[in-house]
Each structure stands twice: as C-alpha cells, then as structure tokens.
Amino acid sequence: MNTPAIELSGLTKTFASSTGPVRAVNGIDLRIGAGEIVAFLGPNGAGKTSTIDMMLGLSTPDSGSVRVFGTDPVTAAGNGRIAAVMQTGGLLPDFTVAETVRIVAGTFGAAAAVDRVVERARLTDIADRKVSKCSGGEQQRLKFALALLPDPDLIVLDEPTAGMDVESRRSFWATMRADAQSGRTVVFATHYLEEADDFADRIVMVAKGQIVADGSTASIRAQASGRTVSAILNPNDLEMVRATFPELTDVSERGGRHHLHTPDSDALARHLLTATGAREVEITSHNLEDAFVALTSEHSQTATPERIS
C-alpha cells in the first residue's frame, strides 16, 4: 500500500542537436503517491514530455531510474497498471468510435469493458460517428476511453486539451473529474494553468529539466511572495513611483492598467492614493500564473538549454 505510483530518481536525458548534445532532463527526483492528482507544469522545452515519455517506458533515461508501482514502466504497462492519453496520433479516421474501442479492447482481452468505458468517457451518443467526424474534444475523450480499457491504476495525460475550444476542454475535464473520484492516480502536463488550479491536488513545476517547485496550489502561490498592485497611471506618475520604490520587481501594462509588484504592497497602494493621480487602485493576491512566471523566470527557456561539452 505504501509503494508509490511513480518514483523517479536522478533522471537525466540528453538529445543530439546540430550544435551539440542538449540535456532535456537534468537530475529529476520525484515521488507520486497512489491516488494523487498531480499537474506537471513548465515552459516550452522544460523537459515535461521527455520526462513523461520515460515514465511511460517510451524512452529510456541516460541515467537514473523510473519505477511505476515498484516495477519498470514497460512491465507496469503490460500488466495494465499504467495508461496514457497523448496529445496527438493514435486514432484511425475511418473507424467509428465504437469500432475503435472494440478493436483496441480485443488487443487487451477486455471486450467486456467496451460499454463501460464508452459510457464513462461520455461517448454513447457518438458511438456510431466516424473518428474523422469527431471534434478535437471528442477524439481526446475517445483516447481517454481507450486508456481506461485495462482499468489502470495510473493514467498519464500529456497536454490532453491542446487545440480544444473552451467547451471541449470543460467537457473533457468533467469526464476526468468523474473518473478521478474512483481513486485513480492522475498525472497530467498542461499549458493551461487554470486546469492545474482547478483539477490538481499537487503541482510540480519544471524548468530546464529540473524541478523548481513542488507542492499544493496554495503553497506554490505562496512561494511567489507578495501581492500585485494595479492602477491606471500616467507616465510621469509611473516614473515617480519607480524612483520612490526601487525594489519594484515587476512592472507591466495590460488593458490600460499598470501592474506593479513590490514586497510592501500596502505602502505602494497608499503612495499611489496619496501622492499620485492614480485611479482605480487595486491590490490582488498572486494567482498560479504569477507564481509560474516568478518561479520559472530564472530558468527562462529563452536562454540556451544546457549543452554538454
């Protein structure tokens, strides 16, 4: 019962490039307990997909180890303990939804599960529709149904809602929430931070192949300390604020409002109200996006990834 669903130890992975080897995963240690719902976040090129591929046994690490329920990923997959919903590929367009599920169920010896997974993935109403006629969200729900056929203890989702419209994303996560209530372990990578905020119990952030934050959504927000003060400012007032508060760590303008971050947000707000012509002054706590930017900025992927000489 105490065996973790996933245990990564000292994981590294290097790829060749035209300018030399690039280390995509650089010493990741991670333990995910059975029954957890974990969001795996990071900028483009952070090493998320490379790490997920090693979790699934689709690639092997250069060094370190991957254990899934105490065994190697290939064995875990063969035993039906781990399944995945990947971002692209995997479906034949000329088959119907029901035909696709039945064919894949036959490879697992899971014919009895067909009706159950079709209903669980909310596909009953489109069972006779060809895959080519399904929307992006419907195709992702079909992949989810296929992943459920072996009744896995762990399901891994790699950018499962990329390219979906808002309604399709909402429908997909409603399906996932219902399934997660059964106690299945869920690990998902996503670019949509609100999905992580709404669905995950725990967030793991990676940048340049390393974990930079790991904890609950609330604790991740807390790591990006301070609050943001926003107001409508004229340029002269903004320059005066910069001079008065040299510790300002972030100044941005969105929708005609300036957003200012400083360790003492109360003092900044008082100054704006009493010493400037600022209008509509607001103080807001950091959301997950603020924390994400703050925690990954020093590992910005605009910098050249680590190269091995």
Side-chain angles (χ1 to χ4, degrees):
M1 293 297 292
N2 293 324
T3 302
I6 294 174
E7 190 165 23
L8 312 179
S9 300
L11 210 61
T12 67
K13 186 69 177 179
T14 302
F15 295 97
S17 76
S18 59
T19 55
V22 176
R23 182 166 291 162
V25 180
N26 190 21
I28 283 184
D29 296 305
L30 179 65
R31 181 185 175 103
I32 296 173
E36 286 194 272
I37 301 174
V38 179
F40 206 47
L41 307 181
N44 288 333
K48 301 187 305 297
T49 296
S50 296
T51 302
I52 284 174
D53 284 349
M54 289 185 280
M55 285 182 190
L56 296 172
L58 300 176
S59 67
T60 56
D62 297 331
S63 61
S65 65
V66 181
R67 308 296 287 174
V68 178
F69 295 107
T71 188
D72 65 272
V74 174
T75 300
N79 292 335
R81 300 205 70 185
I82 181 172
V85 176
M86 307 304 283
Q87 182 177 347
T88 58
L91 298 175
L92 296 174
D94 292 332
F95 285 89
T96 68
V97 168
E99 287 170 342
T100 302
V101 177
R102 283 197 297 269
I103 290 168
V104 175
T107 68
F108 283 108
V114 170
D115 291 341
R116 172 180 60 82
V117 302
V118 166
E119 181 179 359
R120 190 140 197 168
R122 299 168 61 193
L123 295 170
T124 305
D125 291 343
I126 62 168
D128 295 328
R129 186 177 300 173
K130 281 193 174 184
V131 170
S132 61
K133 300 298 183 181
C134 292
S135 68
E138 290 165 346
Q139 290 189 19
Q140 287 300 85
R141 295 211 313 273
L142 174 55
K143 292 179 187 178
F144 174 56
L146 301 180
L148 291 179
L149 284 168
D151 194 21
D153 299 306
L154 165 65
I155 190 164
V156 178
L157 313 169
D158 187 14
E159 302 289 352
T161 61
M164 289 188 191
D165 59 34
V166 173
E167 184 57 37
S168 295
R169 286 167 55 198
R170 185 178 295 119
S171 177
F172 179 84
W173 283 111
T175 302
M176 280 304 310
R177 284 189 185 93
D179 188 72
Q181 290 174 357
S182 67
R184 200 185 311 275
T185 306
V186 178
V187 177
F188 66 99
T190 181
H191 281 100
Y192 301 109
L193 298 184
E194 68 273 18
E195 291 182 348
D197 209 353
D198 290 343
F199 188 65
D201 301 323
R202 174 182 168 194
I203 290 172
V204 176
M205 286 189 183
V206 294
K208 292 193 74 173
Q210 298 177 316
I211 292 175
V212 297
D214 182 356
S216 67
T217 304
S219 69
I220 296 295
R221 287 196 194 104
Q223 289 186 53
S225 60
R227 294 180 294 174
T228 297
V229 179
S230 66
I232 298 175
L233 283 167
N234 64 51
N236 290 336
D237 282 339
L238 179 59
E239 290 307 310
M240 184 176 69
V241 170
R242 287 181 184 274
T244 306
F245 293 86
E247 68 275 17
L248 282 176
T249 57
D250 181 56
V251 178
S252 60
E253 184 177 2
R254 302 190 298 275
R257 297 180 63 84
H258 284 90
H259 297 258
L260 316 170
H261 179 225
T262 181
D264 193 345
S265 55
D266 291 338
L268 174 58
R270 282 194 299 270
H271 179 80
L272 291 175
L273 290 168
T274 60
T276 75
R279 294 178 287 120
E280 299 182 22
V281 177
E282 295 180 357
I283 302 177
T284 57
S285 298
H286 272 155
N287 57 26
L288 187 58
E289 182 177 358
D290 296 323
F292 178 86
V293 172
L295 292 167
T296 61
S297 59
E298 64 184 89
H299 303 275
S300 173
Q301 297 307 295
T302 59
T304 304
E306 180 178 353
R307 302 193 181 277
I308 314 301
S309 57

